């Protein structure tokens, strides 16, 4: 079902157009010369670069997907209407703290959802010159970028089989909590790397890491694009209860209570 709906909603032409769009949004964020920082109601920072990227995404999605509902982190207040089954989730600048600190690990996230499940994910990492994209049922790819230009050839990527022990784990650079630290302290974890933004999903999708736990609440726009990318690459994304995530939860403010990202199922 998800493979067929992915093909209908995100064919090759639209996939290329959305890849260009997140690349352009990332370039707009990176080109922001005077970065103004303010605090939201939850005390998290937002910058003029967030809004610059959001403007590019807003205009591009209105052109490419007219009539499809869009939920963006930077378009407050959050929608109060019942969320439709099919919609777009965007985080114009994922890893704002990393961006403010001058680190390269920030991203632009865009996900297409069908029946409240992500079927396509696009993640641009402008400071690293990379874009990742995944279409569930069709696979995942990595592309090199230069400014807002894309390399003509995409490299297929695949999550590696998760070993029984000796796992390489990735975890948040800016957000630490006792439950996640306890997970990372398990004997099955051999290496731990702390990274910013959706780059952690990308490392799982390209077979560079095995598990990414996030056991405290976050928001759907932080997760959906990475969810689609990892699943397209053969990996898994679940709640801590092992069940697939559901999206479009307006009633909770689009909160994801917890999740764990895994590589591909272990080979027999």
């Amino acid at each position: 079902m998800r493979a067929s709906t992915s093909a209908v909603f995100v064919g090759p032409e639209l996939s290329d157009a959305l890849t260009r769009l997140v690349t352009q949004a990332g370039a707009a964020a990176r080109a922001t010369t005077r970065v103004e920082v303010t605090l939201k109601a939850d005390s998290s920072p937002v910058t003029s670069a967030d809004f610059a990227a959001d403007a590019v995404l807003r205009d591009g999605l209105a052109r490419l997907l007219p009539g499809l509902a869009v939920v963006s982190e930077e378009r407050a207040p959050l929608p109060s209407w019942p969320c439709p089954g099919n919609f777009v989730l965007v985080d114009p600048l994922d890893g704002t703290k990393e961006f403010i600190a001058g680190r390269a690990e920030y991203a632009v996230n865009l996900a297409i959802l069908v029946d409240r499940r992500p079927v396509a994910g696009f993640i641009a990492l402008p400071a690293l010159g990379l874009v990742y994209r995944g279409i569930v049922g069709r696979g995942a790819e990595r592309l090199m970028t230069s400014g807002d230009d894309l390399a003509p050839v995409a490299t297929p990527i695949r999550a590696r089989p998760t070993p029984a022990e000796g796992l390489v784990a990735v975890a948040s650079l800016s957000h630490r909590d006792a439950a996640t630290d306890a997970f990372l302290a398990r004997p099955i974890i051999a290496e731990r790397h702390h990274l910013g933004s959706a780059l952690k999903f990308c490392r799982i999708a390209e077979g560079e890491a095995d598990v990414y736990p996030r056991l405290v609440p976050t928001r759907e726009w932080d997760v959906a694009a990475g969810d689609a990318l990892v699943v397209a690459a053969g990996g898994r994304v679940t709640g801590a209860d092992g069940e697939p995530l559901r999206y479009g939860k307006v009633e909770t403010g689009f909160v994801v209570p917890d999740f764990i990202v895994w590589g591909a199922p272990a080979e027999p």
Side-chain angles (χ1 to χ4, degrees), residues 93-267:
L93 192 59
D94 180 31
T96 300
K97 290 181 180 179
E98 280 69 46
F99 179 84
I100 294 169
R103 293 191 286 264
E105 298 167 6
Y106 60 91
V108 176
N109 300 341
L110 186 155
I112 307 294
L113 292 95
V114 174
D115 296 331
R116 300 199 179 194
R117 288 286 297 134
V119 300
F122 302 82
I123 299 172
L125 295 142
L128 299 178
L130 295 169
V131 178
Y132 293 81
R133 64 184 181 189
I135 313 297
V136 174
R138 292 220 315 264
E141 298 175 318
R142 179 181 62 239
L143 297 91
M144 303 293 292
T145 70
S146 176
D148 59 359
D149 294 325
L150 290 168
V153 178
T155 301
I157 57 174
R158 185 77 179 168
R160 67 189 183 194
T162 305
E165 57 184 15
L167 279 65
V168 175
V170 288
S172 176
L173 182 64
S174 300
H175 304 279
R176 301 288 297 272
D177 65 277
T180 301
D181 285 345
F183 184 103
L184 295 172
R186 294 179 181 183
I188 61 170
I189 306 294
E191 295 181 37
R192 304 162 188 82
H193 302 280
H194 291 277
L195 305 171
S197 76
L199 179 60
K200 298 179 285 294
F201 288 96
C202 302
R203 291 290 181 255
I204 301 286
E206 64 187 349
E208 295 294 328
D210 303 301
V211 63
Y212 163 30
R214 167 85 186 215
L215 301 179
V216 292
T218 185
R219 300 282 190 146
E220 294 180 13
W221 43 75
D222 296 310
V223 184
D227 188 338
L229 175 71
V230 168
V231 172
R236 297 162 289 156
V237 181
T238 72
D241 59 4
E243 295 297 319
L245 302 179
R246 296 292 292 179
Y247 294 81
K249 295 182 290 186
V250 177
E251 66 279 4
T252 68
F254 297 90
V255 168
V256 177
D258 49 51
F259 65 85
I260 303 176
V261 184
W262 300 92
E267 296 177 346

Side-chain angles (χ1 to χ4, degrees), residues 1-2 18 47 54 57-60 64 66 68 76 89 201 214 236 238 251 253:
M1 178 65 172
R2 292 183 67 198
L18 292 171
T47 74
D54 187 63
L57 294 170
R58 179 192 62 222
D59 295 344
L64 296 171
L68 194 61
L89 267 170
F201 288 96
R214 167 85 186 215
R236 297 162 289 156
T238 72
E251 66 279 4

